[in-house]
Amino acid sequence: MERLAIVMGLAVVAVAVALWLQRRRPTAEPTAAAWGVPQHLARADFERPSAPWLVVAFTSETCDVCASVWQRAHVLESDEVAVQNVEAKADRELHQRYRIDAVPMVVVADEQGDVRWNCVGPVTASDLWGALAEVRRPGTVPPDCSASPD
């Protein structure tokens, strides 16, 4: 009987130590970042506010990818599409106003300034062209198509 009490006592101590160690182990935090993307742009804040569509590339001169994103975005300029590069240092006020916390970020806004499409990070020319075509004329891009790398 005495031996059984010792074994049970040791078992209780072992369980207590295991629970204590488990509580000390850090839990994994979610690693997915949720970057803030503006949902609406005041068209008067940007060039050519009367153009039906606006493509804005929020960039930074210290960002390695930003230059290639801007290179792909600026060719979308047309009579109906205003395109503007908003660089973090040169256009600090706009970055702050729209709470841009990640670059590159490309947004496509309609005539009222409602953001209809966005991409945070690198984007291919195919994705940009396809996104602009789809928001301008829904159904333009077949749903089963995928963009190929540039």
Side-chain angles (χ1 to χ4, degrees):
M1 191 66 122
E2 190 176 309
R3 189 179 255 177
L4 180 60
I6 291 172
V7 170
M8 289 192 61
L10 288 173
V12 169
V13 169
V15 168
V17 168
L19 289 172
W20 179 74
L21 288 173
Q22 188 174 14
R23 284 187 179 185
R24 292 195 60 202
R25 183 181 322 156
T27 58
E29 295 294 322
T31 57
W35 306 117
V37 176
Q39 298 301 304
H40 184 82
L41 303 176
R43 291 296 304 267
D45 288 344
F46 300 92
E47 297 169 6
R48 295 184 48 215
S50 61
W53 295 95
L54 172 65
V55 175
V56 179
F58 291 98
T59 64
S60 171
E61 66 182 19
T62 61
C63 163
D64 293 336
V65 178
C66 291
S68 64
V69 168
W70 171 241
Q71 183 181 15
R72 292 176 180 132
H74 89 279
V75 298
L76 298 171
E77 181 84 32
S78 71
D79 290 342
E80 290 190 8
V81 181
V83 181
Q84 185 172 341
N85 183 19
V86 179
E87 197 278 324
K89 192 174 183 181
D91 296 305
R92 182 181 178 120
E93 185 180 318
L94 284 178
H95 271 252
Q96 289 176 339
R97 180 176 303 143
Y98 291 103
R99 296 185 177 130
I100 304 302
D101 54 6
V103 292
M105 178 187 300
V106 178
V107 297
V108 177
D110 62 18
E111 209 165 10
Q112 290 75 38
D114 294 329
V115 173
R116 304 276 301 276
W117 182 86
N118 73 78
C119 181
V120 178
V123 63
T124 67
S126 300
D127 287 339
L128 281 172
W129 281 92
L132 184 60
E134 187 62 25
V135 298
R136 289 175 70 189
R137 292 180 190 87
T140 301
V141 179
D144 58 342
C145 286
S146 60
S148 59
D150 289 337

